[in-house]
């Protein structure tokens, strides 16, 4: 999730762009850069730096530079390591076209190959640089014409801000599935990823939609679709404070991140499913594809919420890919004597890629010559640098300490990995197609789940937040979800909560149940439905209150549950992705109602880099 800024107008001070960029630093910050049309030299100048925006600021010269238009970018790497060369802006061979990009160009490999054949020279490993060369190819004096032609060949997502030395009175913006808006100031216009970048200058913004291209000059602007039809837009007045704007209007990052899950799931799946062939395409595993064919056993190793994602993955991989799988806490694994052989691969899951226990466990596997795979969100993090191969989440930065969107994105990637490994083995073509089809529906199902359960989760939090103890129970795929529901509640609302496999109730926890000890039962219509149902009856018999998470259309559950949260129907192995969402929301609202800050729970850190 990069941040972009563009400017054209009366002021000729590129530092303004830098200041605006600082407001977007929360979106991700492994490197940053800017480019401006230098009014003295009549050419575009560029500055880039690896690290936080402050590093870029330190590189600015002491004397006043005078330039406009300008573009700035803060990067959250997707393709290519975290280096100055890979930082944006990127440019063409002639140093005419300069652009910044947020998104992923899916067909960049093909485009790049063709451009190289045509004589273009590339300097970075990014997908973005392809765009600069494509615009160059079509440039005949009018930047917007070249951009339009270039984008007609592009498949993928983008928010773009583009300038050209040979057409310096223009800033061109274009959007497809990545946020972008125009800020309307006094004799000046901004392009930005979100309103926080422009709030210091204007409260008036126009949001671009997918397929929009905006052409801005110092005097005015217009918006067209890619077929040159004019598009009229409403001007919005933003009355958010800067902090509210960074949270997308939500009161906390955690709620924003919960509500972002349809998007983060779409980002995790983009370009990775070939539904007609029932296959998953995982570029990061290409190099080890043959080795993976030989694998007969899997270890999944992680901490916290990522570990619980791994537990769900274990059920998926055993049931659908037929590979014996064991999930372990990284902090346990590193002190055990893991038996690793050539037929064992170890999968490390980590949002940050910096959790020390996970990293040390990875090093131990490497020392023993084992094959390692990683599922990581933060590009360029330690785990990604040290693993043999991996898959990125592309979930964007997760700021709330309690993991939400990273968790569901990890589950989606485990489903893709299951399909990938399953099809290398005995999984049939038809089953592959079925899995691919169901996986591809996840973003829409997630949106439906959030829409249908948001209000109810808040209401239930109002009803139950004063209870001091909760039990969460589920079976099979939803046993780890019971653990995750309990973990979310305890970490941000400080309510004591226990997660249990529903079958274990009579081995202990049932003794706790009375009218003051409510239970969340995760009970979708699946292969263990009847079993969980009878566990619920045992709770009912002890006057325990029950909140059930059930599949839409299940009326029977009402005979035993006090409250029912319905989630849409999906394949059994994918139910955890939907079932966890109302539990995240419930925990969030309980935290707020009890007067806590869910984003920064006491005593906990986002990334645990100590043992
Ligand atoms: C901390 C965070 C959790 C996270 C865990 C593992 O405890 O609060 O949300 O699940 O670390 O972090 P990782 O970055 O490795 O996924």
């Amino acid at each position: 999730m990069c941040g972009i800024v563009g400017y054209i107008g009366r002021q000729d001070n590129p530092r303004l762009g830098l200041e605006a960029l600082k407001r977007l630093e929360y979106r991700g910050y492994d490197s940053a850069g800017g480019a401006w049309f230098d009014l003295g030299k009549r050419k575009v100048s560029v500055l880039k730096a690896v690290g936080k925006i402050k590093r870029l600021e330190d590189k600015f010269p002491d004397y006043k530079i005078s330039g406009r238009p300008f573009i700035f970018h803060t990067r959250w790497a997707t393709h290519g390591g975290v280096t100055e060369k890979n930082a944006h802006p990127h440019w063409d061979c002639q140093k005419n076209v300069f652009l910044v990009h947020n998104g992923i160009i899916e067909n960049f490999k093909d485009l790049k190959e063709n451009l190289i054949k045509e004589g273009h020279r590339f300097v970075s490993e990014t997908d973005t640089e392809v765009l600069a060369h494509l615009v160059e190819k079509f440039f005949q004096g009018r930047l917007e014409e070249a951009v339009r032609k270039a984008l007609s060949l592009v498949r993928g997502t983008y928010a773009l801000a583009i300038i050209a030395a040979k057409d310096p009175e223009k800033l061109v913006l274009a959007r497809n599935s990545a946020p972008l808006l125009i800020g309307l100031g006094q004799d000046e216009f901004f392009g930005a990823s979100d309103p926080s970048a422009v709030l210091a200058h204007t409260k008036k913004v126009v949001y671009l939609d997918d397929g929009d291209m905006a052409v801005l000059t110092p005097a005015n602007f217009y918006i067209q679709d890619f077929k040159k039809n004019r598009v009229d837009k409403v001007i919005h007045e933003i009355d958010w404070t800067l902090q509210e704007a960074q949270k997308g209007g939500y009161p906390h990052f955690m709620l924003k991140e919960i509500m972002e899950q349809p998007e983060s799931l779409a980002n995790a799946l983009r370009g990775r499913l070939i539904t007609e062939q029932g296959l998953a395409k995982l570029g990061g595993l290409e190099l080890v594809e043959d080795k993976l064919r030989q694998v007969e056993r899997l270890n999944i190793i992680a901490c916290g919420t990522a570990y619980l994602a791994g537990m769900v993955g274990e059920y998926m991989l055993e049931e659908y890919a037929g590979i014996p799988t064991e999930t372990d806490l990284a902090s346990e694994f590193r002190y055990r004597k893991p038996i690793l052989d050539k037929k064992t691969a170890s999968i490390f899951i980590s949002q940050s890629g910096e959790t020390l226990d996970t990293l040390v466990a990875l090093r131990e596997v490497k020392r023993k010559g084992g094959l390692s795979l990683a599922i990581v969100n933060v590009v360029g993090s330690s785990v990604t640098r040290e693993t043999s191969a991996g898959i990125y989440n592309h979930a964007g930065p997760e700021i709330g300490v309690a993991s939400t969107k990273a968790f569901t994105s990890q589950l989606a990637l485990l489903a893709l990995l299951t399909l990938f490994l399953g099809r290398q083995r005995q999984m049939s073509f038809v089953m592959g197609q079925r899995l691919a089809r169901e996986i591809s529906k996840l973003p829409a199902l997630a949106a439906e789940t959030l829409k249908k359960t948001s209000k109810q989760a808040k209401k239930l939090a109002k009803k139950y937040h004063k209870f001091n103890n909760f039990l969460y129970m589920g079976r099979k795929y939803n046993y780890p979800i019971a653990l995750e529901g309990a973990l979310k509640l305890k970490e941000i609302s400080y309510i004591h909560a226990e997660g249990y496999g529903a079958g274990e109730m009579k081995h202990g926890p049932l003794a706790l149940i009375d009218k003051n000890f409510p239970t969340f039962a995760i009970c979708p219509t699946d292969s263990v439905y009847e079993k969980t149902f009878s566990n619920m009856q045992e709770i009912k018999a002890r006057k325990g209150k029950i909140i059930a998470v059930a599949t839409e259309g299940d009326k029977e559950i009402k005979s035993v549950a006090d409250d029912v949260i319905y989630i849409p129907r999906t394949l059994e192995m994918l139910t955890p992705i939907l079932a966890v969402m109302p539990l995240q929301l419930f925990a969030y609202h309980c935290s707020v109602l009890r007067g806590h800050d869910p984003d920064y729970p006491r005593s906990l850190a986002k990334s645990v880099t100590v043992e």
Side-chain angles (χ1 to χ4, degrees):
M1 204 168 86
C2 310
I4 72 177
V5 168
Y7 176 90
I8 193 159
R10 66 189 152 85
Q11 306 193 62
D12 63 0
N13 179 10
R15 282 176 189 274
L16 206 84
L18 185 77
E19 290 305 317
L21 193 70
K22 284 186 190 164
R23 312 289 178 216
L24 296 180
E25 189 156 34
Y26 79 97
R27 293 175 65 86
Y29 46 81
D30 54 45
S31 46
W36 55 92
F37 181 70
D38 191 311
L39 295 171
K41 297 182 195 150
R42 306 300 294 168
K43 66 181 192 88
V44 174
S45 300
V46 177
L47 266 186
K48 295 184 184 188
V50 167
K52 292 198 161 199
I53 295 174
K54 178 78 180 62
R55 303 275 289 273
L56 180 67
E57 188 170 24
D58 292 344
K59 281 193 165 180
F60 263 70
D62 295 337
Y63 55 87
K64 179 178 184 294
I65 40 175
S66 130
R68 68 167 178 242
F70 44 77
I71 50 178
F72 279 82
H73 186 268
T74 170
R75 181 167 185 243
W76 171 260
T78 55
H79 290 81
V82 181
T83 61
E84 220 166 86
K85 271 200 175 128
N86 289 336
H88 298 213
H90 290 285
W91 55 85
D92 60 347
C93 302
Q94 298 174 50
K95 298 209 167 136
N96 172 33
V97 179
F98 290 75
L99 55 85
V100 290
H101 168 220
N102 172 26
I104 296 171
I105 305 304
E106 284 165 26
N107 59 339
F108 89 98
K109 279 194 186 139
D110 295 344
L111 292 170
K112 189 168 175 175
E113 249 169 51
N114 289 336
L115 286 161
I116 288 173
K117 275 188 205 142
E118 289 168 18
H120 291 262
R121 295 173 316 279
F122 284 77
V123 293
S124 79
E125 303 149 355
T126 62
D127 52 336
T128 302
E129 194 185 352
V130 160
L131 296 172
H133 291 275
L134 258 192
V135 177
E136 172 180 35
K137 174 175 166 167
F138 295 112
F139 190 87
Q140 287 182 331
R142 294 184 53 173
L143 179 60
E144 69 277 28
E145 293 301 331
V147 171
R148 184 176 296 114
K149 285 181 188 149
L151 290 180
S152 71
L153 302 177
V154 165
R155 221 175 49 239
T157 57
Y158 46 81
L160 286 164
I162 313 171
I163 58 172
K166 292 182 186 161
D167 194 8
E169 294 287 288
K170 268 177 214 155
L171 168 69
V172 174
L173 307 175
R175 166 185 164 134
N176 186 38
S177 295
L180 191 58
L181 57 82
I182 305 174
L184 314 179
Q186 228 162 27
D187 303 322
E188 59 186 0
F189 300 109
F190 296 81
S193 299
D194 75 40
S196 45
V198 303
L199 275 179
H201 304 275
T202 177
K203 291 196 174 306
K204 288 197 174 74
V205 304
V206 167
Y207 289 98
L208 296 187
D209 292 304
D210 289 351
D212 284 347
M213 192 175 102
V215 182
L216 294 80
T217 68
N220 56 32
F221 75 94
Y222 63 88
I223 302 170
Q224 291 183 335
D225 64 18
F226 292 157
K227 289 187 185 132
K228 288 196 184 183
N229 299 311
R230 218 183 161 92
V231 184
D232 291 321
K233 296 274 175 192
V234 182
I235 297 175
H236 293 264
E237 281 277 331
I238 302 283
D239 53 8
W240 293 339
T241 62
L242 179 61
Q243 263 229 327
E244 283 167 343
Q246 291 185 334
K247 291 173 187 160
Y250 290 104
H252 297 97
F253 281 113
M254 182 178 175
L255 185 58
K256 173 173 178 259
E257 286 157 9
I258 292 173
M259 300 312 280
E260 255 169 22
Q261 288 178 107
E263 196 187 326
S264 52
L265 285 168
N267 288 342
L269 301 178
R270 182 163 295 115
R272 288 171 165 170
L273 278 170
I274 313 172
T275 311
E276 326 76 67
Q277 296 171 32
L279 291 173
K281 188 168 158 270
L282 297 170
L285 302 189
E286 264 165 25
L287 282 177
V288 295
E289 213 172 319
D290 289 335
K291 281 193 189 161
L292 286 173
R293 258 177 233 287
Q294 315 304 322
V295 163
E296 290 178 2
R297 213 163 62 89
L298 292 169
N299 286 322
I300 303 182
I301 300 147
C303 298
T305 291
Y307 164 73
L308 299 176
M311 278 178 77
V312 178
E314 177 178 329
Y315 288 96
M316 293 178 178
L317 288 157
E318 291 196 333
E319 185 160 6
Y320 287 91
I323 310 173
T325 306
E326 211 180 307
T327 311
D328 216 340
L329 291 167
S331 50
E332 288 297 318
F333 182 88
R334 57 183 290 204
Y335 290 109
R336 272 176 46 206
K337 185 186 168 209
I339 314 293
L340 300 168
D341 56 25
K342 285 217 166 70
K343 305 217 156 171
T344 304
S346 301
I347 306 170
F348 295 85
I349 309 177
S350 176
Q351 187 285 129
S352 61
E354 300 295 348
T355 302
L356 188 78
D357 283 325
T358 309
L359 192 58
V360 174
L362 166 61
R363 287 178 183 152
E364 191 55 28
V365 166
K366 280 178 70 183
R367 194 168 300 125
K368 294 194 157 64
L371 176 64
S372 55
L373 309 180
I375 293 179
V376 175
N377 191 31
V378 179
V379 175
S381 55
S382 303
V383 170
T384 67
R385 292 198 303 273
E386 300 192 24
T387 181
S388 325
I391 320 170
Y392 283 123
N393 292 83
H394 298 314
E398 191 179 64
I399 294 171
V401 166
S403 183
T404 52
K405 65 173 180 174
F407 176 66
T408 47
S409 155
Q410 286 158 354
L411 294 180
L413 292 189
L414 285 161
L416 286 179
L417 184 65
T418 301
L419 176 58
F420 181 90
L421 295 174
R423 291 287 278 128
Q424 277 190 332
R425 292 167 174 73
Q426 304 300 330
M427 187 189 292
S428 71
F429 168 61
V430 176
M431 179 52 91
Q433 276 187 322
R434 176 151 185 243
L435 275 192
R437 233 183 354 254
E438 293 299 323
I439 294 171
S440 70
K441 290 182 196 157
L442 281 172
L445 291 177
E448 195 184 325
T449 305
L450 290 168
K451 194 167 165 221
K452 289 190 172 150
T453 64
S454 282
K455 274 201 192 124
Q456 196 190 2
K458 191 171 179 179
K459 250 191 177 158
L460 289 172
K462 277 194 184 138
K463 181 169 167 188
Y464 287 98
H465 73 278
K466 291 204 173 127
F467 284 87
N468 288 323
N469 300 287
F470 274 85
L471 205 118
Y472 286 69
M473 66 170 194
R475 282 179 107 111
K476 209 177 160 186
Y477 287 100
N478 286 297
Y479 163 41
I481 296 309
L483 301 181
E484 172 62 5
L487 176 61
K488 282 287 93 78
L489 193 67
K490 69 184 129 197
E491 66 184 331
I492 58 169
S493 74
Y494 320 142
I495 297 173
H496 166 237
E498 301 206 30
Y500 260 92
E504 280 288 295
M505 289 301 291
K506 11 178 150 31
H507 297 292
L510 208 51
L512 294 170
I513 298 297
D514 62 17
K515 64 180 182 358
N516 296 319
F517 207 126
T519 299
F520 262 94
I522 329 300
C523 187
T525 317
D526 60 10
S527 62
V528 286
Y529 176 81
E530 281 163 20
K531 302 280 168 203
T532 317
F533 196 89
S534 66
N535 298 134
M536 287 166 68
Q537 281 169 323
E538 288 157 13
I539 290 171
K540 194 84 214 147
R542 281 149 190 90
K543 300 206 164 35
K545 293 193 169 50
I546 298 176
I547 309 161
V549 177
T551 306
E552 247 164 21
D554 177 5
K555 293 205 181 92
E556 200 188 351
I557 201 125
K558 288 193 172 162
S559 65
V560 64
D562 297 85
D563 293 283
V564 184
I565 305 175
Y566 285 112
I567 57 168
R569 187 173 295 277
T570 180
L571 214 60
E572 178 172 4
M573 84 170 209
L574 303 177
T575 51
I577 299 178
L578 306 182
V580 77
M581 291 180 188
L583 305 184
Q584 297 168 339
L585 285 163
F586 179 80
Y588 166 80
H589 289 297
C590 284
S591 167
V592 174
L593 286 164
R594 288 171 75 110
H596 307 306
D597 181 346
D599 283 346
Y600 303 102
R602 67 184 182 208
S603 317
L604 300 178
K606 181 70 188 153
S607 182
V608 182
T609 53
V610 291
E611 193 177 347

